[in-house]
Amino acid sequence: MIPDKVPKDDVFYGAAELQKGAHVPTFEKYKDMYMQSIQDPDKFWGDMAKDFFWKSQHTGRFLDYNFDVTKGEIFTKCMAGASTNICYNVLDRNVHDRKLGDKVAFHWEGNEPGDESMVTYRELLHAVCRFANVLKSQGVRKGDRVAIYLPMVVELVVAMLACARLGAVHSIVFAGFSAESLSDRIMDSGCSLLVTADGFYRGDKLINLKILADEALQKCRDKGFPLHRCIVLKHLSKEAHETSLSCPPAKRSCPDLQDKETSRVKKSRPVPQVPWNPEVDRCWHALVAAASDQCEPEWCESEDPLFILYTSGSTGKPKGVLHTLSGYMLYTAATFKLVFDHRPDDVYWCTADIGWITGHSYVTYGPLANGATSVLFEGLPTYPDVSRMWQMVDKYRVSKFYTAPTAIRLLMKYGNEPVQKYKRDSLKVLGTVGEPINPEAWHWYFSVVGDSRCPIVDTFWQTETGGHVLTPLPAATPMKPGSATFPFFGVVPAILNECGEELEGPSEGYLVFKQPWPGVMRTVYGNHGRFQSTYFKKFPGYYVTGDGCRRDKDGYYWITGRIDDMLNVSGHLLSTAEVESALVEHEAVAEAAVVGRPHPVKGESLYCFVTLGDGRTFNPTLEAQLRKQVREKIGAIATPDYIQDAPGLPKTRSGKIMRRVLRQIARGEKDLGDISTLADSSVVETLFINRCQPAL
Ligand code: WTA
């Protein structure tokens, strides 16, 4: 399955000195380790587990599973029976056993240049203990779900690890999601407490987070799900609402965290409004000031839930992906160490928001498990200008840098000068994640950003996989631009045709996995049936990714994109059904169909066809209302790029919308192929005439 030989030509390598001291220095070594990981996974992962602290050892098999629905329930168990705590492993173990207490865990940099702070492992441990005591004082117990809706601040890491310390389950909602999305997630996972902040700036834009959080809580109440406690962090406003918040005027969010200095908010800028409900709201600062910085971790069982994270589902309703403790810990730690070839003196920077899986696995758990020093960045790559990233790379001497193709394409548009005005000589490894990277962007990233010296790890994975599943290893794998190359240890991919037959050699079809690895998701929260039918029903015996994939003559894997009704906009998965249902909730809309149209920066953009109800006319006001409607229902990431008036949609005689035809219309492809199954082919002509032109 892994080729004996990899090509010498037409492939790219990073600088040879990277091999010196690398965890996996050659392709031969990768192959050996890969074979061991497949032939004896228990030994392979058992060796990795030795680095961690176990209160008691596992009792059953190291990795036990059933991936075949025809043989019974789907399950994966890793180190069942063992007892541990992930917060203890990523903090106490580093501080006490590995003597890393004074090492910087995070260099935090805010949206505004100059607004910065840092936190060591020891400080982080104390801050987490304090907040864990706060959560306890508010009634949070092992197994309870806690919703977290915060911007990219150190307190977000503190809140998630405090949950983990108590064995509570965090459910983080990306702070760019709408009030409605937040309330749906709170209710679906049955959270008993919400942690949020006053607000934050994204570039020049103020996000009044507390107002959104209040709206979400109101929606929950309206639906008979009252949530009794909300803890509010003062992030932006220092004095503005001291009295209403009844907060101490502390500048620090926690006595353990070093001062966050300077201008959080530019003097001329408005601070967020913070409505206050004394029945429900509590001030973060007042609570932590009164809490002890000592807190015994709750010892949990390996398969106890760690977190729920929602991801789009093709039916429209987001799925609460559930990850459990030990397997996820081992897998994120191992992938982080090997895929970024982590060394003790590295400074690592992953630009993803913690609200997505990349942030969970590769901002928080993987790096901390390795005792890494990371950059945690609140802002945008283009604010205050398009050099921000490279200026920060030099400032912190970043050696490993991980971002998304959409960010690379965006910055590439501005040319080389903003990059080349900074040295970037600290960089050693570059990474990408979230969507296929087009070769043009790959070459720019490799030659301009990395000066043809840094290998690019193109990591393919999903919220569901917990960590990287197809990826190069930086010192070992010859790279092909645009290919995620080969499987990580313990991962066995296959390509299936429509009949479910495994294809050998060069081929293209459905990407599936034949056996679990420790970090694979365990269930959809509260709906094991949906978990089984989404991932295991189509091809019994396999985990189905939902992605198409090609294997070339050299055995390299190339992701070709989603093969279900999902779109990937700027690296974020969106379900067409979810956007459609937001559109049809508008009283003027009778029917809607959403497809993807290629976009030079975002990868895909949202192209929406709407059929209006009788007597309704399409006009710019309605168009603006529809955009707003989708933003309010889902969040700004789902804002439609194009909305087209569609008096009729192309349907088969049985009434099924032919999305293929809509995709072709959106792309302006005149040759529609076989449309004989359409009930009324004249609708297609009308749609073509009214096509939205690409924005300039
Ligand atoms: C896509 C993000 C190609 C893919 C970690 C997958 C990629 C979905 C890559 C998961 C990559 C992610 N190359 N496609 N390197 N990485 N994808 O759950 O379609 O937000 O199924 O997890 O992103 O998105 P999710």
Side-chain angles (χ1 to χ4, degrees):
M1 176 199 335
I2 305 296
D4 279 341
K5 280 205 173 56
V6 275
K8 290 230 166 356
D9 303 326
D10 297 333
V11 290
F12 291 78
Y13 299 87
E17 63 255 30
L18 266 181
Q19 290 182 301
K20 211 163 47 186
H23 296 299
V24 186
T26 61
F27 195 71
E28 289 305 307
K29 176 78 178 163
Y30 159 68
K31 261 192 321 189
D32 287 352
M33 285 174 70
Y34 181 78
M35 288 322 289
Q36 284 170 27
S37 75
I38 300 308
Q39 283 158 1
D40 193 355
D42 292 12
K43 159 125 187 29
F44 186 87
W45 294 110
D47 285 346
M48 298 269 173
K50 287 182 188 146
D51 285 344
F52 293 91
F53 176 80
W54 306 96
K55 187 82 177 164
S56 68
Q57 294 300 322
H58 63 282
T59 44
R61 288 195 55 186
F62 197 90
L63 199 61
D64 195 10
Y65 70 97
N66 171 39
F67 255 26
D68 188 344
V69 265
T70 63
K71 296 198 176 129
E73 286 238 321
I74 301 294
F75 73 91
T76 301
K77 287 184 182 166
C78 180
M79 302 187 73
S83 120
T84 190
N85 181 287
I86 193 167
C87 177
Y88 183 91
N89 271 292
V90 304
L91 294 181
D92 309 55
R93 183 178 61 99
N94 282 326
V95 172
H96 301 307
D97 306 350
R98 302 178 71 205
K99 309 287 177 239
L100 298 177
D102 295 325
K103 189 172 180 188
V104 174
F106 291 106
H107 293 286
W108 180 82
E109 178 148 330
N111 180 61
E112 233 23 81
D115 189 7
E116 59 195 60
S117 65
M118 61 183 189
V119 55
T120 64
Y121 273 86
R122 183 174 299 104
E123 290 164 341
L124 190 58
L125 171 61
H126 289 158
V128 167
C129 285
R130 258 180 225 278
F131 197 65
N133 285 325
V134 165
L135 290 176
K136 255 203 252 179
S137 74
Q138 300 303 312
V140 173
R141 298 287 176 267
K142 185 173 176 205
D144 290 352
R145 274 83 55 216
V146 173
I148 303 178
Y149 188 52
L150 285 173
M152 280 286 277
V153 289
V154 174
E155 292 82 355
L156 172 48
V157 178
V158 169
M160 71 199 289
L161 292 180
C163 290
R165 194 163 190 89
L166 300 179
V169 181
H170 55 75
S171 174
I172 300 180
V173 180
F174 171 56
F177 273 126
S178 64
E180 175 138 354
S181 296
L182 173 61
S183 70
D184 287 346
R185 285 158 174 75
I186 288 174
M187 288 186 287
D188 189 79
S189 52
C191 293
S192 59
L193 185 142
L194 170 67
V195 185
T196 190
D198 47 1
F200 63 103
Y201 273 92
R202 272 180 75 71
D204 282 317
K205 191 164 179 242
L206 173 64
I207 316 288
N208 272 300
L209 206 60
K210 176 65 165 59
I211 293 182
L212 294 170
D214 281 356
E215 262 176 51
L217 295 188
Q218 187 56 47
K219 284 178 198 293
C220 291
R221 252 173 252 129
D222 293 347
K223 292 194 175 155
F225 187 93
L227 192 133
H228 300 293
R229 197 54 85 231
C230 176
I231 300 180
V232 186
L233 173 80
K234 277 196 307 177
H235 172 48
L236 286 182
S237 36
K238 286 191 182 128
E239 284 91 44
H241 51 269
E242 231 87 86
T243 41
S244 66
L245 272 182
S246 61
C247 264
K251 269 195 285 180
R252 299 169 172 196
S253 69
C254 172
D256 310 296
L257 300 182
Q258 291 172 22
D259 248 4
K260 290 192 175 145
E261 245 337 293
T262 68
S263 53
R264 264 290 160 74
V265 186
K266 277 189 195 160
K267 288 253 160 11
S268 57
R269 283 185 158 179
V271 288
Q273 304 162 39
V274 186
W276 199 253
N277 175 356
E279 298 281 301
V280 176
D281 297 333
R282 291 292 177 272
C283 167
W284 170 297
H285 312 262
L287 293 172
V288 294
S292 152
D293 63 3
Q294 302 292 314
C295 175
E296 256 305 289
E298 181 78 33
W299 300 107
C300 301
E301 204 270 337
S302 282
E303 285 300 328
D304 278 346
L306 173 63
F307 67 83
I308 300 165
L309 181 60
Y310 286 83
T311 184
S312 298
S314 54
T315 57
K317 188 174 167 344
K319 303 176 287 241
V321 170
L322 184 99
H323 284 285
T324 55
L325 206 147
S326 299
Y328 178 82
M329 175 168 84
L330 283 185
Y331 200 68
T332 51
T335 44
F336 176 79
K337 176 175 170 183
L338 303 176
V339 173
F340 297 107
D341 191 32
H342 177 66
R343 319 273 178 110
D345 55 354
D346 271 340
V347 176
Y348 161 83
W349 181 14
C350 166
T351 66
D353 194 289
I354 293 177
W356 306 104
I357 190 68
T358 307
H360 280 60
S361 301
Y362 300 112
V363 175
T364 302
Y365 289 110
L368 292 179
N370 283 275
T373 294
S374 301
V375 174
L376 184 69
F377 179 44
E378 183 192 24
L380 296 172
T382 49
Y383 179 85
D385 62 53
V386 295
S387 286
R388 183 80 186 266
M389 301 265 220
W390 322 120
Q391 180 257 327
M392 284 177 61
V393 164
D394 278 6
K395 174 174 171 185
Y396 296 104
R397 307 280 311 148
V398 172
S399 50
K400 312 281 161 83
F401 179 73
Y402 192 30
T403 195
T406 185
I408 298 163
R409 288 192 297 261
L410 174 69
L411 296 176
M412 193 169 84
K413 277 202 323 192
Y414 297 94
N416 302 354
E417 195 269 338
V419 186
Q420 287 168 340
K421 71 181 194 211
Y422 292 95
K423 292 213 296 268
R424 295 157 287 108
D425 56 338
S426 53
L427 287 174
K428 295 203 169 92
V429 175
L430 302 174
T432 74
V433 56
E435 56 185 310
I437 180 163
N438 48 312
E440 196 195 350
W442 193 99
H443 283 292
W444 187 78
Y445 198 27
F446 182 70
S447 60
V448 179
V449 175
D451 284 328
S452 304
R453 177 185 75 239
C454 309
I456 296 179
V457 286
D458 176 352
T459 59
F460 166 82
W461 59 295
Q462 308 177 301
T463 306
E464 295 86 336
T465 67
H468 309 140
V469 281
L470 299 180
T471 177
L473 299 181
T477 316
M479 298 167 287
K480 292 194 183 190
S483 166
T485 71
F486 302 110
F488 187 73
F489 303 117
V491 173
V492 186
I495 296 182
L496 305 185
N497 64 14
E498 192 58 56
C499 310
E501 291 154 351
E502 277 188 36
L503 303 174
E504 302 295 332
S507 45
E508 185 165 343
Y510 294 88
L511 177 67
V512 299
F513 295 110
K514 294 167 77 160
Q515 62 186 52
W517 52 93
V520 70
M521 74 183 283
R522 301 303 198 252
T523 190
V524 169
Y525 184 76
N527 198 343
H528 199 63
R530 186 170 179 203
F531 168 64
Q532 301 191 133
S533 62
T534 307
Y535 303 101
F536 294 93
K537 199 167 132 208
K538 188 169 174 71
F539 299 120
Y542 302 94
Y543 166 88
V544 181
T545 58
D547 283 291
C549 186
R550 180 168 70 80
R551 190 170 40 220
D552 70 14
K553 63 178 182 10
D554 300 317
Y556 281 68
Y557 289 86
W558 301 74
I559 303 297
T560 54
R562 300 291 306 183
I563 39 187
D564 48 15
D565 289 331
M566 305 281 246
L567 300 180
N568 195 325
V569 179
S570 299
H572 303 313
L573 276 193
L574 290 172
S575 108
T576 51
E578 199 179 359
V579 181
E580 285 158 9
S581 70
L583 288 167
V584 295
E585 274 186 40
H586 192 286
E587 52 177 11
V589 178
E591 197 169 16
V594 177
V595 297
R597 166 154 151 178
H599 186 280
V601 171
K602 301 202 267 187
E604 278 188 295
S605 55
L606 288 174
Y607 195 112
C608 311
F609 294 88
V610 292
T611 306
L612 302 182
D614 282 349
R616 297 293 191 149
T617 44
F618 195 80
N619 56 46
T621 316
L622 176 63
E623 202 179 324
Q625 280 174 7
L626 292 176
R627 283 211 165 83
K628 183 158 169 277
Q629 166 107 357
V630 179
R631 254 202 313 274
E632 283 176 4
K633 290 266 156 206
I634 306 175
I637 45 164
T639 310
D641 296 85
Y642 306 96
I643 303 181
Q644 179 177 345
D645 180 18
L649 290 169
K651 291 185 181 167
T652 60
R653 285 181 188 83
S654 60
K656 199 168 162 8
I657 296 173
M658 284 186 78
R659 285 169 191 281
R660 169 183 69 80
V661 173
L662 289 177
R663 268 193 290 274
Q664 287 173 298
I665 294 170
R667 286 171 196 200
E669 290 169 15
K670 286 259 156 57
D671 180 8
L672 293 182
D674 180 9
I675 49 168
S676 57
T677 51
L678 278 184
D680 174 6
S681 59
S682 70
V683 295
V684 172
E685 266 163 55
T686 321
L687 290 178
F688 247 115
I689 295 166
N690 295 331
R691 236 184 109 232
C692 302
Q693 295 307 316
L696 290 176

